[in-house]
Amino acid sequence: NEACFSLQNGLFSCSYRNEKNQDIHLQNESQRGGPTLGRGLYLPALVGSFGAAAAAGKVLQLPPQQMTWTLGIAGALTGGTFQGHDEGAWTRRLNLGMAAERGVTAATLAESGLVGPEKPLEGEYGFYRVFVNNEYDIAALTRDLGKSFWIMESWLKGYPMNTTLHAPCEALLNIVRREKIRHTEIAGIAAFWHQYVAILGKKKVEKVVSAQYSLPYTLAAAAVRGRVSPDEFTERSISDPVIKSMIDRIEVAHDPELFKSAGRASVPGR
């Protein structure tokens, strides 16, 4: 995700400067870790600010000093939590857009001469200590620099919901379709996956955004409707008494072994 934010900002800045054909070469290593998630911090928004700033600075052809200030300013601006996800608030939709905006703002401020911190990541009050409790791999920032681009690892979602919910939902859909099972014939569903934040297992869903971050809801919708499309994420669908009744028959649990066996390149479930 973070690499995508960077590229989006690069294109935005290019359009702003009327230079749409510049090459953007970035190394943006996503160091996903427990400290941020456990505290409710939304990592894509946090790290996305730095990726966006790097892209914007590259497009603006900032010299080293101003690029350093760009990252420093981005560190001062960055933020993001899971509270919007939990409540189903529309700020969830703003998180990544705000990261993009912060990156462009940081780069243009640095270009104008605004002095930013020079150690936004590793400083005493920098990102690594404040946000991730100093649990990081500094070597990852320059590993394969200029050779490996995470944007090439991006992929499109097959379903309009949190990525970790895809595998268990697709497994259920495959079973239901193969065996021609009706939801009225299902006594119960047990699913296991990488539950990296508690809200993904909630059963009480009252808003569309919350539904997109609830494995019980998405499994219930898949069982009842035989699909998981945008139509399943509407106010009418989350109020469907049949889907609500199915949620009561679903149990989900975190399985750390799945993640360990598949690695970070996959989002497994069963």
Side-chain angles (χ1 to χ4, degrees):
N1 287 340
E2 289 73 43
C4 292
F5 310 155
S6 301
L7 184 59
Q8 288 171 356
N9 274 272
L11 294 177
F12 180 90
S13 292
C14 280
S15 177
Y16 177 68
R17 295 290 294 249
N18 294 319
E19 297 173 5
K20 298 184 179 180
N21 297 316
Q22 286 192 14
D23 292 329
I24 301 172
H25 299 296
L26 297 173
Q27 175 72 10
N28 195 2
E29 176 73 25
S30 172
Q31 299 186 52
R32 297 181 178 274
T36 53
L37 298 175
R39 292 162 56 196
L41 296 170
Y42 187 48
L43 195 57
L46 295 173
V47 181
S49 299
F50 289 100
K58 176 68 176 179
V59 171
L60 297 179
Q61 297 183 330
L62 298 182
Q65 181 62 78
Q66 288 178 309
M67 179 63 89
T68 299
W69 290 345
T70 294
L71 297 176
I73 296 169
L77 298 176
T78 197
T81 72
F82 274 102
Q83 192 59 36
H85 299 65
D86 188 35
E87 296 183 19
W90 288 11
T91 51
R92 161 64 188 98
R93 309 288 191 222
L94 287 176
N95 273 328
L96 307 186
M98 288 190 293
E101 179 186 38
R102 289 192 290 261
V104 173
T105 298
T108 52
L109 285 174
E111 183 186 37
S112 69
L114 185 76
V115 177
E118 300 201 355
K119 295 183 178 180
L121 300 177
E122 75 279 20
E124 177 63 21
Y125 301 100
F127 182 85
Y128 289 146
R129 187 179 76 81
V130 174
F131 287 100
V132 298
N133 295 341
N134 274 331
E135 296 183 24
Y136 64 94
D137 176 12
I138 194 69
L141 292 176
T142 54
R143 187 178 298 131
D144 294 328
L145 183 63
K147 299 177 181 178
S148 175
F149 303 95
W150 281 98
I151 188 67
M152 303 305 296
E153 303 299 323
S154 299
W155 47 280
L156 299 177
K157 287 185 175 181
Y159 306 98
M161 58 195 187
N162 178 267
T163 305
T164 66
L165 312 184
H166 289 209
C169 278
E170 188 161 296
L172 175 62
L173 288 172
N174 288 339
I175 293 172
V176 168
R177 291 166 181 169
R178 185 182 67 236
E179 304 298 330
K180 296 180 173 56
I181 300 173
R182 294 179 55 81
H183 68 89
T184 53
E185 302 173 306
I186 300 176
I189 297 172
F192 304 86
W193 90 119
H194 177 50
Q195 184 182 3
Y196 66 92
V197 285
I199 59 175
L200 294 173
K202 64 181 179 296
K203 290 189 174 184
K204 186 178 180 180
V205 172
E206 297 178 340
K207 297 180 180 179
V208 172
V209 174
S210 293
Q212 293 176 300
Y213 287 84
S214 166
L215 182 56
Y217 173 81
T218 55
L219 288 172
V224 172
R225 302 279 183 84
R227 64 181 186 273
V228 184
S229 71
D231 290 338
E232 279 60 67
F233 297 100
T234 64
E235 296 292 343
R236 182 174 183 178
S237 291
I238 64 177
S239 300
D240 186 334
V242 180
I243 293 179
K244 285 188 171 183
S245 176
M246 176 59 68
I247 291 177
D248 294 333
R249 286 177 266 167
I250 295 174
E251 296 298 329
V252 300
H254 172 57
D255 186 347
E257 294 305 315
L258 278 174
F259 187 67
K260 289 179 182 178
S261 62
R264 294 181 183 276
S266 178
V267 280
R270 62 184 174 89

